[in-house]
Amino acid sequence: MTDLLDRQQFERVALAVAATVALHVDHLPAGLSFALAATIAPRVITRRRAAGAVSWWVRVPLTVFLLMFVSLQYGNIFGRVPGTALACGMLALKLLEAERTRDARVALGFASFVLMSSLLFTQTLLFSLAVCGVLGLVIAGLLSLQPAPLAEPRRLQPDLWRASVLLGIAVPLALAAFVLLPRLNAPLWGTRGDDTLTSTGLSDSMAPGQFVRLMLDESPAFRAEFKGPRPRTQSLYFRTIVLSDFDGTTWTRRFSDARPSDAMPQVPARSPIYDYTVTLEGSGDRRWLPALDLPIVAPEGSRLSREQILVARPGPVVVGTYDLQSSPDAKLDTSLPGADRARLLALPPGYGKQARELARRWRDQLRSDDRIVEAALKLFHSSFDYTLEPPPLARDTVDDFLFGTKAGFCEHYASAFVFLMRAAGIPARVVTGYQGGWWSSEYLLVRQSDAHAWAEVWSDGEGWKRVDPTAAVSPDRIELGAAQSDPNAGWMRSGWLRELRNQLDIANSLWTRSVISFDSLRQHALLTEFGASELSHGDLLLALSIVLALTMALAAGWAMWDRRVHHGDPLDRAWQRFRAALARGGIDERTAEGPLDLRARVHAAAPASAPAIDPLVDEYVALRYGSPAPEPLRVARLVRRLRAFRLRRR
């Protein structure tokens, strides 16, 4: 018996490999994704034409090219993204040499590792179910490699069913490991590596067009669960990053502003205080923690900066869930030092000539800061449009926007407004974060598409005041969100689709709280409910070892109890049913009788059936006694013919 892969076995392996790589496409470079597809598909096609393994002089240069590509793309081959890109490439290259059962098992084992690494990027419920589905394909591929010379032709559906049964059997063991394995202080999937992964969400800079990617991203950013009164939609401003420096095109933050605040925010009497819990989603940069404007306390693992933003403390613990208190009337500073005032009035030389002139006229004519703010908002409201597809801007972005295109979204309005305020002598800065969200029965869901930018202006004696110029142009943006307020948003304007997506997020929220955020504290709380709160890490490992030992013993007993010993293979079972059919027709079964003697008795007792039974007996003898490894297709055909036989008498 040869161990060469037949066509069906090879294509099962190729299907599992392709599905595994497909789960990584979202974070792989487009060029690499195309190259992997161009590697796997031709290999399957040429293998159907009986071509053997790809020659080593092709595989070796491809391997070298893969290493060079990953190194040039990411600067190294280590880390989460470079490592998975390299692993996906090596998995596809392994398929080029897979010709024997051993190669296929190695490829499927490596595919299992690459498959699990996809959970380092996305851990949503639907994606986790997709991973389970692909794992089923991997197991089905392994099942197709099991030797079964007389088995019926391997069909994908039965193997997938067997794979599902095996996964179901593994669920109790997985639950035991999930509960008993000692946990870290932070969820395992939330650990941030030192790779080059671009952060998911807001960054510490803002340039024209940068927010479009976020506003079209419908993935969850975080959830906020309020323990008391809920704020109104118009008050749902979650500040994240403050940008104060402008070079004419891009707003950036000054790192010195992130230093801890020396004073605690003051909350006036009778001001509302919101008590809530934030649960972050995704695995991107979590240095900046969203907080409802304005936070009055810093949760554990973070600090409140002088900009009134929450900054995660450096260290191994990544903040994923934190409790907060906020008040819209909280104030941190009521005086602005001269150095800070000068910096928050600074404008880049050579930019915004027309905007400066407009602001100078406002200052000369209106004199009052409040009236200047009103004039700017009135200007935006009267002749500007809100759109997620604005025309490109020239080098002087502010003047081109204010006096040229007059169309844009939040970052355009926030940038131009702050420029005008500074030109009029009013200290101002840009704040980026999230605005709005979707209320479920239990929490507020904020998506990346709810990313927003607004402005803050300084008022002597009062401190910083929030001004949202986008609200003056498009009130629907504040009430409905970026996608619904844009006429070009396509399917995202469809109410029932968005509502269905939001309802599905309720299940995803339960998954996040119960599985993704299951850390040492939650583990201790769960064990406490079962009266096992005093178990140490050693006790947990001992309990897990006992569960593993019992499971392995049961699995070994089940494996040694082979039902096929008692019932035979498919060919024997079909022959026995055939004998039983003859017995019902009056030709009794005789234990020591062979197929040729049986045929002779049928000829004597039922000569009308002789022409039909002769080829069946001949084929059975040839398959059972004439070949050590009969072809599965011949076996399957004979099984069907034996089942269809009916005894005929004169």
Side-chain angles (χ1 to χ4, degrees):
M1 182 180 298
T2 179
D3 66 340
L4 287 175
L5 298 174
D6 59 31
R7 169 181 167 181
Q8 194 174 55
Q9 291 172 323
F10 179 84
E11 292 184 356
R12 295 279 183 86
V13 176
L15 177 62
V17 169
T20 300
V21 173
L23 290 182
H24 286 273
V25 168
D26 184 57
H27 51 265
L28 291 180
L32 180 60
S33 299
F34 176 79
L36 296 181
T39 300
I40 296 174
R43 170 64 171 146
V44 174
I45 295 174
T46 56
R47 187 57 165 67
R48 285 189 171 187
R49 299 176 180 176
V54 177
S55 176
W56 67 268
W57 60 267
V58 175
R59 301 197 307 268
V60 171
L62 287 177
T63 303
V64 174
F65 177 77
L66 174 65
L67 290 169
M68 292 176 57
F69 176 84
V70 174
S71 299
L72 293 175
Q73 180 75 21
Y74 301 104
N76 60 77
I77 59 173
F78 303 104
R80 179 168 44 178
V81 177
T84 53
L86 180 62
C88 289
M90 297 300 291
L91 180 59
L93 292 178
K94 181 63 181 176
L95 198 63
L96 298 183
E97 66 173 3
E99 281 294 320
R100 298 184 177 275
T101 302
R102 177 184 177 277
D103 298 326
R105 289 199 174 101
V106 171
L108 292 173
F110 187 41
S112 301
F113 171 79
V114 178
L115 176 62
M116 293 301 105
S117 69
S118 65
L119 292 173
L120 295 173
F121 300 89
T122 305
Q123 305 93 38
T124 62
L125 177 59
L126 290 179
F127 188 83
S128 300
L129 292 176
V131 170
C132 290
V134 177
L135 182 59
L137 291 177
V138 173
I139 296 176
L142 289 171
L143 290 173
S144 71
L145 302 178
Q146 300 304 308
L150 292 182
E152 297 180 5
R154 300 182 183 92
R155 296 188 298 274
L156 182 60
Q157 184 176 355
D159 280 348
L160 286 177
W161 170 251
R162 296 187 188 98
S164 301
V165 171
L166 292 175
L167 287 174
I169 294 174
V171 167
L173 181 60
L175 289 175
F178 178 79
V179 173
L180 297 176
L181 191 68
R183 292 282 172 163
L184 302 173
N185 291 330
L188 174 62
W189 302 116
T191 302
R192 182 172 66 233
D194 56 350
D195 52 38
T196 57
L197 177 67
T198 302
S199 62
T200 302
L202 301 168
S203 67
D204 52 8
S205 64
M206 185 187 78
Q210 182 176 323
F211 266 40
V212 171
R213 177 181 59 85
L214 282 178
M215 291 181 175
L216 298 179
D217 182 1
E218 292 294 295
S219 61
F222 61 90
R223 296 178 180 85
E225 185 175 353
F226 289 82
K227 302 173 184 177
R230 294 179 173 183
R232 298 178 305 164
T233 302
Q234 296 85 348
S235 300
L236 293 176
Y237 284 83
F238 291 87
R239 65 190 295 115
T240 306
I241 303 173
V242 174
L243 310 175
S244 55
D245 292 349
F246 186 52
D247 63 3
T249 301
T250 304
W251 288 90
T252 56
R253 65 181 302 275
R254 181 166 295 190
F255 289 99
S256 60
D257 290 338
R259 62 182 182 267
S261 174
D262 298 328
M264 294 300 295
Q266 301 298 316
V267 181
R270 297 185 178 181
S271 296
I273 296 179
Y274 299 110
D275 192 3
Y276 58 103
T277 299
V278 173
T279 301
L280 299 178
E281 289 286 338
S283 57
D285 195 340
R286 293 183 175 180
R287 290 174 296 172
W288 324 111
L289 306 180
L292 189 65
D293 211 356
L294 293 164
I296 58 178
V297 292
E300 183 180 359
S302 68
R303 52 184 170 80
L304 188 62
S305 77
R306 62 194 301 266
E307 300 169 316
Q308 296 173 286
I309 64 174
L310 292 178
V311 183
R313 296 183 183 275
V317 177
V318 179
V319 178
T321 300
Y322 49 95
D323 296 323
L324 269 177
Q325 285 186 333
S326 296
S327 174
D329 301 323
K331 298 294 182 183
L332 186 63
D333 297 317
T334 56
S335 62
L336 189 64
D340 289 343
R341 180 182 293 270
R343 181 166 59 86
L344 293 168
L345 288 172
L347 294 174
Y351 289 89
K353 181 179 179 180
Q354 297 180 73
R356 294 172 195 254
E357 178 61 25
L358 175 61
R360 186 190 62 79
R361 291 200 305 269
W362 283 345
R363 172 57 65 184
D364 293 341
Q365 297 172 6
L366 304 176
R367 301 182 181 277
S368 167
D369 290 355
D370 291 340
R371 295 177 65 186
I372 292 175
V373 170
E374 292 176 2
L377 296 178
K378 183 177 179 180
L379 171 68
F380 289 143
H381 179 72
S382 62
S383 56
F384 283 74
D385 296 321
Y386 181 88
T387 176
L388 295 183
E389 298 179 357
L393 298 176
R395 172 185 175 275
D396 195 335
T397 57
V398 173
D399 273 0
D400 193 28
F401 172 70
L402 289 174
F403 305 100
T405 63
K406 296 185 178 182
F409 46 92
C410 60
E411 67 181 42
H412 297 82
Y413 292 103
S415 175
F417 179 84
V418 172
F419 191 99
L420 287 170
M421 294 302 102
R422 291 188 177 188
I426 304 174
R429 60 190 185 185
V430 174
V431 181
T432 62
Y434 300 88
Q435 195 284 322
W438 173 79
W439 286 105
S440 74
S441 59
E442 299 180 357
Y443 60 86
L444 174 72
L445 170 64
V446 179
R447 298 183 178 274
Q448 296 293 353
S449 58
D450 294 313
H452 194 52
W454 60 93
E456 287 183 339
V457 296
W458 178 264
S459 176
D460 291 329
E462 298 183 26
W464 290 104
K465 296 191 300 184
R466 181 178 68 234
V467 180
D468 190 353
T470 306
V473 182
S474 176
D476 287 346
R477 165 61 186 90
I478 309 303
E479 293 290 339
L480 303 177
Q484 297 97 314
S485 59
D486 180 32
N488 300 316
W491 72 270
M492 289 185 289
R493 289 180 60 86
S494 177
W496 71 270
L497 284 176
R498 293 182 63 85
E499 185 64 22
L500 175 62
R501 178 206 59 183
N502 290 332
Q503 292 296 334
L504 290 175
D505 185 77
I506 296 177
N508 198 55
S509 173
L510 179 62
W511 170 261
T512 299
R513 292 199 303 266
S514 304
V515 178
I516 305 303
S517 299
F518 191 76
D519 55 11
S520 59
L521 294 177
R522 293 176 183 266
Q523 183 185 43
H524 182 269
L526 178 62
L527 294 175
T528 301
E529 294 182 4
F530 293 94
S533 59
E534 302 301 324
L535 291 180
S536 64
H537 283 183
D539 296 331
L540 291 175
L541 289 175
L542 177 61
L544 180 59
S545 299
I546 294 174
V547 173
L548 285 173
L550 291 175
T551 303
M552 296 300 293
L554 292 174
W558 178 70
M560 289 186 292
W561 182 51
D562 191 348
R563 296 182 178 182
R564 289 175 297 180
V565 173
H566 305 284
H567 300 284
D569 57 38
L571 184 58
D572 277 340
R573 292 195 294 270
W575 182 256
Q576 292 301 324
R577 285 193 295 268
F578 171 70
R579 294 288 300 268
L582 292 178
R584 289 192 297 270
I587 303 175
D588 59 317
E589 296 188 52
R590 298 178 183 179
T591 305
E593 185 178 50
L596 297 181
D597 292 335
L598 174 64
R599 178 170 61 180
R601 286 203 302 124
V602 173
H603 275 243
S609 297
I613 197 175
D614 286 346
L616 296 178
V617 173
D618 291 339
E619 183 70 2
Y620 175 76
V621 170
L623 291 175
R624 174 53 69 198
Y625 306 107
S627 173
E631 297 179 9
L633 290 177
R634 290 183 61 186
V635 172
R637 285 196 294 267
L638 180 58
V639 167
R640 289 194 297 269
R641 292 166 61 190
L642 289 173
R643 290 175 177 174
F645 176 79
R646 297 292 183 273
L647 185 65
R648 296 174 55 191
R649 290 180 176 272
R650 288 184 178 178

